[in-house]
Amino acid sequence: MSAYWAAYAWLPDGCRAGVSFEVHHGRFAQVRVGVEPQDGQEILRGVILPGLANGHSHAFHRGLRGRTHAAGGSFWTWREQMYALAARLDPDSYLDLARAVFAEMAQAGYTVVGEFHYLHHDQNGHPYADPNVMGKALIQAATDAGVRLTLLDACYLAGGLTATGHRPLDPIQTRFSDGDVDHWQARVSLLNDSDQIRIAIAVHSVRAVPADALNKIDKAAGERPLHAHLSEQPAENAATQAFYGRTPTELLDDHGLLGRRTTVVHATHLTDTDIKTLGRTQTSACICPTTERDLADGIGPARRLADAGSLLTLGSDQQAVIDPFEELCGVELHERLATGERGRFTPAELIMIASEAGYRSLGWSEGGRIADGALADFVVVRSDSVRTTGARPDQIAYAATAADVDQVVVAGQVIVRDGRHRLGSPARLLAAALDQLGAA
């Protein structure tokens, strides 16, 4: 058992002063408000936030940071560089890179990660002797870094979509595909949950999964979380409309994939009807502000989705930035740019989006909040740095960056203390991993 006291902490009913709590067997207990510190308690300096969720990650994309900006282009030209990196990865290099990335995430304040995993097979598209060795590399990497992981194993069957139908797989895309839903499901069924790991389901996109496969994926998912890229690019919408006569949202709805267990990622280019459908079905939407601006994707209708009934979450996606505060503020600041209004989301809404909503979307319904019985995951944000000094405790997330994270605790275990990860320097780990890939 560990006992703590904090001057300020974000609880389910807001930012409160004088908060004490204990941790028993990885869970919060005896959360009290308006109390003084007692002997035997560790004094936490700063503002305490519940564990922060990274709802959408492609860990290996970290190898592209700062390397894709010279020639301009679009999402589609960026994708070619991403494919070139994917072609070089094997289980060992994947483990090394993902371990470094997850450590970087933990040091930034993320306590749970949803890894959208489609890099399944070898460079020739053949299954490894262990068909899940690439997924197990991600599981091992998260375990080493100390973060919870939801492995969103993605079904990927086609090379794209045009007005005349789905294209065959490109050579690099054969690494992503199991050939059909039955083989994909059989492989995924070999993976198991554990105390800090959840196995979940993903549809890569309606571009990569033909409609006749969607019903089988829906049945395969059962009650597990189900995630899907949705309407990130206008070209996806145009091709889906031309071939199916439906928007991507309508296509998923037709096949029963929307609902409370489902999270759509990006949801940037939606019709009014799409927004109503996602809200009506209580489908969550994972917004990735730093990626959406880096790739020139556009600004999605976050406020309208929330008002319609969709739970919002956040993701770092392609790792152009790994900073939960940048993502959190990005939702609000993008809304300000699009509408000319401030305060589109309250601080309490943003904290909820960054924590409890993300945990729920990833299948950890007992996490993302500081409350008796909840998972003991929390983040200590310094209130005395050059960035945060003078900020109100309930608005510190607007001032803080990843550099202000002082301590990170997952399941009651300290994985970051004094701003340092238990594995050492993530930068050192990243340098070694990228050098191995020839990307440093």
Side-chain angles (χ1 to χ4, degrees), residues 379-409:
V379 178
V380 182
V381 181
R382 289 180 55 186
S383 57
D384 62 351
S385 78
V386 69
R387 291 164 294 276
T388 59
T389 293
R392 286 178 43 159
D394 63 341
Q395 296 184 28
I396 198 167
Y398 287 95
T401 71
D404 298 307
V405 171
D406 185 63
Q407 189 163 319
V408 178
V409 174

Side-chain angles (χ1 to χ4, degrees), residues 4-8 21 42-48 378 380 407:
Y4 299 91
W5 181 89
Y8 296 96
F21 58 88
E42 179 179 344
I43 308 300
L44 300 172
R45 306 292 182 183
V47 178
I48 316 308
F378 63 91
V380 182
Q407 189 163 319

Side-chain angles (χ1 to χ4, degrees), residues 179-207:
D180 57 42
V181 175
D182 290 339
H183 285 91
W184 165 78
Q185 183 179 0
R187 180 180 53 74
V188 176
S189 70
L190 300 174
L191 294 165
N192 297 302
D193 293 347
S194 66
D195 287 347
Q196 288 189 225
I197 304 296
R198 294 284 184 273
I199 306 302
I201 300 303
V203 172
H204 180 274
S205 60
V206 297
R207 290 181 287 109

Side-chain angles (χ1 to χ4, degrees), residues 46-357:
V47 178
I48 316 308
L49 303 180
L52 301 176
N54 187 347
H56 186 72
S57 162
H58 301 291
F60 79 90
H61 291 187
R62 175 61 179 83
L64 298 174
R65 185 188 296 176
R67 304 177 64 85
T68 64
H69 303 279
S74 66
F75 166 86
W76 304 103
T77 53
W78 169 87
R79 192 179 71 162
E80 294 306 312
Q81 297 176 77
M82 182 269 286
Y83 280 178
L85 175 62
R88 299 203 298 274
L89 288 159
D90 59 29
D92 291 336
S93 59
Y94 203 30
L95 170 61
D96 290 343
L97 181 56
R99 181 192 292 119
V101 174
F102 292 152
E104 182 183 2
M105 289 180 187
Q107 190 165 286
Y110 287 119
T111 51
V112 62
V113 180
E115 181 65 20
F116 200 102
H117 170 53
Y118 54 81
L119 192 54
H120 301 307
H121 307 302
D122 71 17
Q123 286 89 341
N124 297 312
H126 300 140
Y128 289 99
D130 178 349
N132 283 306
V133 67
M134 295 294 271
K136 289 178 180 178
L138 293 166
I139 290 170
Q140 185 62 54
T143 301
D144 293 346
V147 296
R148 299 184 193 275
L149 180 74
T150 297
L151 185 70
L152 295 152
D153 196 293
C155 187
Y156 199 118
L157 303 177
L161 179 62
T162 69
T164 58
H166 288 272
R167 295 196 304 264
L169 297 162
D170 291 338
I172 181 57
Q173 292 171 324
T174 61
R175 295 200 74 177
F176 309 159
S177 181
D178 293 287
D180 57 42
V181 175
D182 290 339
H183 285 91
W184 165 78
Q185 183 179 0
R187 180 180 53 74
V188 176
S189 70
L190 300 174
L191 294 165
N192 297 302
D193 293 347
S194 66
D195 287 347
Q196 288 189 225
I197 304 296
R198 294 284 184 273
I199 306 302
I201 300 303
V203 172
H204 180 274
S205 60
V206 297
R207 290 181 287 109
V209 179
D212 59 11
L214 293 176
N215 288 114
K216 294 185 74 171
I217 295 172
D218 174 48
K219 292 178 181 177
E223 297 303 313
R224 292 182 183 274
L226 189 153
H227 288 218
H229 293 121
L230 183 82
S231 293
E232 182 178 5
Q233 290 290 322
E236 174 186 310
N237 290 355
T240 309
Q241 190 72 53
F243 184 65
Y244 289 109
R246 310 291 280 159
T247 68
T249 297
E250 290 168 337
L251 197 61
L252 293 183
D253 192 33
D254 290 345
H255 293 273
L257 269 68
L258 300 184
R260 296 190 67 182
R261 65 167 178 178
T262 300
T263 299
V264 293
V265 182
H266 302 301
T268 304
H269 302 282
L270 302 176
T271 67
D272 291 345
T273 300
D274 290 340
I275 293 170
K276 291 177 182 177
T277 298
L278 293 170
R280 171 181 54 79
T281 57
Q282 296 185 285
T283 300
S284 298
C286 185
I287 312 300
C288 306
T290 63
T291 289
E292 287 147 10
R293 65 180 181 234
D294 181 80
L295 296 180
D297 286 345
I299 297 174
R303 182 71 262 175
R304 293 179 64 202
L305 281 165
D307 289 344
S310 290
L311 191 71
L312 301 186
T313 70
L314 298 172
S316 67
D317 193 3
Q318 54 119 344
Q319 326 304 346
V321 177
I322 293 178
D323 187 332
F325 305 100
E326 187 74 16
E327 307 295 350
L328 179 155
C329 290
V331 173
E332 166 67 17
L333 298 181
H334 286 188
E335 280 280 326
R336 293 182 185 186
L337 287 173
T339 67
E341 299 177 358
R342 303 180 86 230
R344 300 283 290 172
F345 291 92
T346 68
E349 285 179 306
L350 292 174
I351 295 296
M352 169 66 175
I353 289 168
S355 56
E356 187 172 358

